[in-house]
Amino acid sequence: MNRFFALAAAITLISPTPLLAQATVPGTVISTGDGDTLRVQVNGKPITVRLACADAPESTQAGGKEAATRLSQFLPKNQNIQLRVVEEDRYGRSVAEVFKNGQSVNLQMVQEGRAVVYRQYLSACAATKDRYLQAEAKAKQRKLAFWSQANPVMPWDFRAGKRGTFTPVPAVSRPATPQPAAQTSNCSPAYPGVCIPPGPPDLDCGDISQRRFQVVAPDPHGFDRDNDGVGCES
C-alpha cells in the first residue's frame, strides 16, 4: 500500500486549534536532517518527512546549516508531534505540515527566515496560505536569517544549478594515479571533477571512493538523492 494512503488511514481529528482543524496523525521525532526534512516514528514505523509549503536552504548553501540547526531545536529527538500529510513525493517522503504543541513548525521556520515559502506547492496549505506569505514578507522586511543576504538564491534555484558565484564542493578523494585517455573519455559529464563512468552498470555510493562531488543533471547513477548538487555526501 502506498505509504501516504497508509498514513491517511491512521489519521484522527485531534484539536480545535485553528491550524490543527484538519485531520492529523501523531508521530515521534527520530531525528532531523537538513532544514526541511526529518525522520518520524508513526504507528511503529520510521518514515521520512519533508516539510510542506516551506523550502529551507540546502546544507551546502548559505544559511543551510543554520536552518538545519533551528529545525533540530524545534524538533529534538523523542518530541511528540502531529502530521498533516499532504502527499508522498517522488523520493518516497511524506510531505506534511508538522505541528508541535498545536503550532506549525513549517510556518515558524518561515517566520524566522530559516525557510522560504515554497510557492510552487503552496496549494497544499490553502487554508493558511496568507499566513505563510505574510510571515515571509515580515521576515524579508526585517532581513532575518536567509533574508539577511544581499542577493539570496532561492533553494529551488540553488538545486537547479543557478548558484551565482557558488563554488562547488570538491570531491574528497580522486584517483591516485592519472587515468588512461580511453578511461578518462568514459567519464560521465554529470560528475565534473571526478571520473565516474556513465554506466551500465548502475553504481551506488558504496561502489565508489569519491565523496562530496559536484553533480549535474541528469545524474545517471542517482548519487544526489536530495537534489542539492552534491553527490555521496556521507
Side-chain angles (χ1 to χ4, degrees):
M1 179 185 289
N2 182 290
R3 188 180 296 114
F4 169 62
F5 291 108
L7 279 175
I11 285 173
T12 55
L13 191 64
I14 63 157
S15 172
T17 303
L19 282 179
L20 273 177
Q22 302 178 62
T24 60
V25 60
T28 304
V29 175
I30 298 173
S31 63
T32 54
D34 56 19
D36 50 34
T37 58
L38 61 151
R39 292 282 285 172
V40 180
Q41 192 85 2
V42 176
N43 294 330
K45 295 182 179 180
I47 64 169
T48 299
V49 173
R50 174 35 165 109
L51 299 187
C53 307
D55 199 5
E58 299 298 321
S59 57
T60 53
Q61 184 181 3
K65 292 182 179 179
E66 293 80 2
T69 297
R70 190 62 179 126
L71 186 64
S72 69
Q73 293 171 344
F74 276 132
L75 302 173
K77 184 177 180 180
N78 297 323
Q79 173 68 51
N80 292 324
I81 58 175
Q82 297 288 334
L83 302 174
R84 183 180 68 82
V85 181
V86 174
E87 64 176 348
E88 183 175 283
D89 69 11
R90 59 176 175 159
Y91 303 108
R93 302 175 299 186
S94 295
V95 180
E97 195 164 18
V98 179
F99 296 94
K100 174 184 175 182
N101 300 325
Q103 300 299 315
S104 170
V105 172
N106 309 43
L107 181 58
Q108 187 66 35
M109 290 288 285
V110 172
Q111 287 176 333
E112 295 188 8
R114 298 301 180 186
V116 301
V117 175
Y118 209 165
R119 283 170 167 74
Q120 182 179 352
Y121 301 104
L122 188 54
S123 59
C125 299
T128 51
K129 173 182 176 180
D130 290 343
R131 297 186 65 173
Y132 275 90
L133 294 174
Q134 290 168 8
E136 183 185 79
K138 289 181 179 179
K140 187 174 182 179
Q141 182 180 30
R142 297 169 62 189
K143 299 185 183 300
L144 299 180
F146 178 80
W147 300 110
S148 65
Q149 304 173 72
N151 295 294
V153 178
M154 295 298 104
W156 50 85
D157 285 336
F158 185 88
R159 290 191 293 271
K162 302 174 184 178
R163 309 182 184 192
T165 57
F166 169 74
T167 302
V169 179
V172 172
S173 57
R174 296 173 182 269
T177 57
Q179 299 185 16
Q183 183 176 351
T184 303
S185 65
N186 193 38
C187 301
S188 171
Y191 314 112
V194 294
C195 185
I196 300 174
D202 183 31
L203 301 175
D204 295 320
C205 289
D207 299 321
I208 61 174
S209 61
Q210 293 91 339
R211 292 293 180 269
R212 296 188 63 78
F213 49 86
Q214 183 184 8
V215 176
V216 178
D219 188 13
H221 295 296
F223 291 137
D224 183 15
R225 295 296 184 185
D226 58 1
N227 266 351
D228 67 352
V230 181
C232 299
E233 295 180 69
S234 59

